[in-house]
Amino acid sequence: MSNIELHQDVHRAMSEKGAEEAAEYFSPDIVLTDEARGLTLKGKEQVTGWLAAWKSAFSDARIADATYLESGDWTISRFQGRGVNDGPLGELPATGRQLDLPFCELVRWQDDQSVEVAIYYDTASIMVQLGHMDPPA
């Protein structure tokens, strides 16, 4: 299976089933950097918990309109993260509003498992779309 197919499988698992199923593709010592929040997570348990928090805030969370590129042991995906905010997002209450946000994700693969992930997105757009912040003037 190619690294792109693995990346697609992780996205499909997350969209259709959730964090635990996506975690089947993670190495035990995976490192994920959430660049938007300046957060680095280490190990399968922490990364799975981070994904589960997204799925808890957006129970219908799905990855849509994804494109994939491969270079060596890295894959890159651009996609839209979509879902209705029907659960708390950290300390913020659910709003019932739709999120439709562009993401960029880089994944390094080793022995058919993801060992390193960097994800980029815009936190201000999340706050505006969910009604927690007014759009900039």
Side-chain angles (χ1 to χ4, degrees):
M1 181 176 292
S2 75
N3 291 337
I4 285 179
E5 290 170 318
L6 290 167
H7 203 154
Q8 291 169 327
D9 282 354
V10 171
H11 283 176
R12 192 171 12 264
M14 183 64 182
S15 293
E16 294 174 4
K17 297 180 181 170
E20 290 297 326
E21 286 74 10
E24 295 296 317
Y25 296 88
F26 302 163
S27 75
D29 52 355
I30 185 174
V31 175
L32 181 143
T33 305
D34 176 336
E35 298 291 350
R37 295 172 51 203
L39 181 66
T40 299
L41 304 163
K42 296 180 179 180
K44 192 172 187 174
E45 185 176 321
Q46 282 188 0
V47 173
T48 304
W50 179 85
L51 284 175
W54 277 102
K55 198 68 170 175
S56 177
F58 304 92
S59 65
D60 68 340
R62 62 202 174 284
I63 295 164
D65 302 331
T67 58
Y68 301 88
L69 299 169
E70 183 172 13
S71 180
D73 56 353
W74 285 90
T75 54
I76 301 165
S77 179
R78 262 183 24 180
F79 60 89
Q80 291 296 120
R82 295 185 177 137
V84 174
N85 180 221
D86 56 358
L89 181 62
E91 295 179 7
L92 299 172
T95 64
R97 291 186 178 198
Q98 175 73 36
L99 181 72
D100 189 351
L101 189 72
F103 286 81
C104 182
E105 181 179 63
L106 291 78
V107 180
R108 186 166 61 90
W109 300 91
Q110 189 173 61
D111 300 323
D112 294 339
Q113 292 187 318
S114 57
V115 295
E116 185 178 352
V117 178
I119 190 158
Y120 299 82
Y121 59 95
D122 177 24
T123 57
S125 291
I126 294 173
M127 297 297 104
V128 169
Q129 287 186 34
L130 299 183
H132 296 299
M133 183 174 108
D134 290 330

